[in-house]
Amino acid sequence: MRIRHLPLLLALLPLSLGATTTFDEVLSEVMSNNLTARAEASRSQAQVENILGENTLEAPEIEFSRVWGTKAEFGNKWGLSVSQSFDWPGVYAARREAARTAKIAAQYLTESTVIDLRQEVRTLLIDIIHNSQLIDMQTELVNRMNQMEQHYKKAAEAGAETRLDYNKTVIERIAVHRELHTLEAQREALLSSLEALNAGKNVDDMVKRLGSDYPITPAVNEATISEDLIKQRDPQYAAALASVEAAKSMVKVEKRSRIPGFSVGFEHETEGDEHFNGFAVGMTLPVWGRKHQVKASTLEAEASLMDAEMALARRMAEMKGDLKQLKALRKVMEEYEPVINDKANYELLRKALTAGQISFLTFIEETNYFIAARRDYIDTVYEYNLALTRLTRYE
């Protein structure tokens, strides 16, 4: 199954093309440093090797015997035998098939792990960009309140403003600084998570390159999202189907293992001056011991098939939900943009305060109103990009 790029429903806000390029570069760098995918590949290979290890002949057996007669005239006897045991020939072919199907399932599971890991890194990078935008906004507010505090301090000292109004500016300055410190603490936590995914390597440079712009995502037709698309591109679904075939192969192995096995050996015995050479043939009877193993393998195949269908239904439901969310968020963003992007809001309030048309308390209330709206807009764009990221999990 070849994994191709999954189309998306809507385009993101207009941004520079460099944002996408840098985002992908940082994503690839973290993925190349992460050891999870390689560890998963090793575990999968170990499972296949265990099956192959069971498909080898038992070690040859060498037996030596020495017996003493009770009467001297009969002399003593000794014997030497070498034998090899083996299962019914069809069992080995069945095990080879089981190993082949298990290997295919393991490869898809490894690919699914890589996709899940890539999705985790993408989401974390989106979180960091969102945090950067909030810090940029809060830093701007901090600078404004610092200037406001200094202005009211001088005005209060000159008697142009009351001490009460100055104290209000101090309280507001403390509040915006506290929020900035909270965002900075959140950023440190996010960077620690990214560093862990980056195999413990420093991430300061890549975060600096990442910036505060979301990657561009091309627009697509909603009709392209279908169950057939998931079946073609989702390795988890392919792994579930491959597990069904692997389980069926194991059923065949268990059934054939109920057929008797054999052992063939060479024997040499010496009695007095006489030497005897010959062979021995043995048979194992595992008929009564494999019933429950066959039943267990059959149930495992049935469970794997149900897992595949559940995985398909779950993924389809998630994609449909994300598509609906994209539409709703896009509409909210379009309604917000004309007002949020209007830089005159703060200036108009500041001029009204300077002209004495509004009180300082009213200025703070009105400013906070627009700040809350801007924060809501930033959060909406963030949720929009998270939904896009979930839909680009196959890229």
Side-chain angles (χ1 to χ4, degrees):
M1 181 186 68
R2 182 178 295 277
I3 304 298
R4 297 183 295 274
H5 293 297
L6 178 67
L8 301 174
L9 176 64
L10 298 169
L12 184 58
L13 294 174
L15 299 174
S16 63
L17 183 60
T20 298
T21 303
T22 303
F23 186 93
D24 291 341
E25 288 175 353
V26 172
L27 175 61
S28 298
E29 186 175 343
V30 175
M31 289 295 296
S32 64
N33 291 333
N34 192 277
L35 302 177
T36 301
R38 277 179 276 180
E40 183 63 27
S42 296
R43 278 192 291 268
S44 298
Q45 184 61 34
Q47 295 174 0
V48 175
E49 292 298 326
N50 284 333
I51 298 177
L52 292 175
E54 296 176 358
N55 202 34
T56 58
L57 294 174
E58 296 290 338
E61 295 183 4
I62 300 177
E63 182 179 351
F64 174 80
S65 64
R66 172 75 174 180
V67 295
W68 290 265
T70 58
K71 294 182 180 181
E73 61 269 23
F74 293 137
N76 301 322
K77 295 173 59 177
W78 64 271
L80 178 68
S81 66
V82 179
S83 64
Q84 174 69 62
S85 300
F86 55 90
D87 294 322
W88 184 262
V91 175
Y92 297 102
R95 285 196 185 124
R96 284 196 299 272
E97 177 63 18
R100 186 188 68 81
T101 53
K103 183 177 181 179
I104 294 174
Q107 289 173 340
Y108 282 133
L109 286 174
T110 300
E111 187 174 357
S112 180
T113 299
V114 172
I115 288 179
D116 289 341
L117 176 62
R118 189 177 182 86
Q119 174 71 8
E120 181 181 357
V121 176
R122 285 179 63 92
T123 299
L124 183 56
L125 295 181
I126 293 295
D127 291 341
I128 292 174
I129 292 174
H130 174 239
N131 176 264
S132 297
Q133 292 184 352
L134 292 178
I135 288 179
D136 290 344
M137 182 192 76
Q138 198 65 27
T139 301
E140 182 181 344
L141 295 177
V142 165
N143 293 333
R144 288 178 180 176
M145 286 310 304
N146 287 342
Q147 295 173 3
M148 185 78 65
E149 181 190 12
Q150 291 299 317
H151 169 77
Y152 271 82
K153 181 180 180 180
K154 293 179 181 179
E157 291 173 349
E161 296 289 349
T162 67
R163 183 72 180 182
L164 182 61
D165 283 338
Y166 168 66
N167 288 341
K168 290 178 182 178
T169 62
V170 174
I171 292 173
E172 287 299 321
R173 191 263 302 166
I174 293 174
V176 295
H177 273 268
R178 184 179 68 247
E179 177 64 19
L180 179 60
H181 295 329
T182 300
L183 291 171
E184 289 172 342
Q186 293 173 356
R187 182 176 184 81
E188 290 302 317
L190 291 171
L191 296 187
S192 296
S193 298
L194 182 61
E195 189 171 291
L197 290 173
N198 197 44
K201 298 181 180 179
N202 187 276
V203 297
D204 292 342
D205 178 67
M206 63 172 59
V207 170
K208 184 182 298 184
R209 288 186 284 118
L210 186 65
S212 58
D213 288 333
Y214 292 111
I216 300 172
T217 307
V220 297
N221 191 333
E222 180 181 353
T224 59
I225 305 302
S226 64
E227 288 189 0
D228 290 339
L229 183 72
I230 299 176
K231 290 179 180 180
Q232 294 174 6
R233 301 177 181 177
D234 195 317
Q236 186 176 4
Y237 177 77
L241 292 182
S243 296
V244 173
E245 296 304 316
K248 289 180 179 178
S249 296
M250 289 305 300
V251 171
K252 188 182 297 183
V253 170
E254 297 299 341
K255 286 183 176 180
R256 291 186 180 181
S257 295
R258 300 175 66 181
I259 303 174
F262 299 91
S263 64
V264 177
F266 166 79
E267 291 192 359
H268 173 82
E269 289 189 5
T270 299
E271 183 175 355
D273 295 331
E274 296 296 329
H275 296 270
F276 304 89
N277 294 311
F279 66 91
V281 178
M283 177 180 294
T284 58
L285 302 175
V287 177
W288 309 112
R290 311 297 298 188
K291 178 180 179 181
H292 296 293
Q293 289 89 333
V294 173
K295 182 63 175 178
S297 296
T298 302
L299 292 174
E300 184 65 29
E302 294 175 356
S304 297
L305 181 59
M306 288 186 284
D307 287 341
E309 295 303 323
M310 288 176 60
L312 176 61
R314 181 172 60 252
R315 185 70 68 203
M316 191 63 201
E318 290 172 354
M319 293 179 68
K320 287 182 177 180
D322 287 333
L323 288 172
K324 290 180 180 179
Q325 185 181 19
L326 283 178
K327 291 180 180 179
L329 292 173
R330 177 74 260 184
K331 184 176 181 180
V332 173
M333 289 160 55
E334 290 173 348
E335 292 174 345
Y336 261 128
E337 286 169 11
V339 179
I340 295 300
N341 293 332
D342 189 352
K343 302 298 184 180
N345 296 326
Y346 176 78
E347 290 301 322
L348 291 175
L349 287 173
R350 188 181 62 81
K351 290 179 180 179
L353 176 64
T354 303
Q357 297 175 349
I358 59 175
S359 66
F360 179 75
L361 182 59
T362 301
F363 171 80
I364 293 299
E365 291 176 347
E366 293 296 325
T367 301
N368 287 341
Y369 176 81
F370 284 105
I371 290 173
R374 185 177 175 186
R375 174 65 182 264
D376 188 47
Y377 172 75
I378 291 176
D379 289 343
T380 300
V381 177
Y382 166 64
E383 294 294 335
Y384 181 87
N385 277 274
L386 284 181
L388 285 174
T389 298
R390 290 190 294 271
L391 285 172
T392 56
R393 62 179 283 108
Y394 302 118
E395 290 189 359

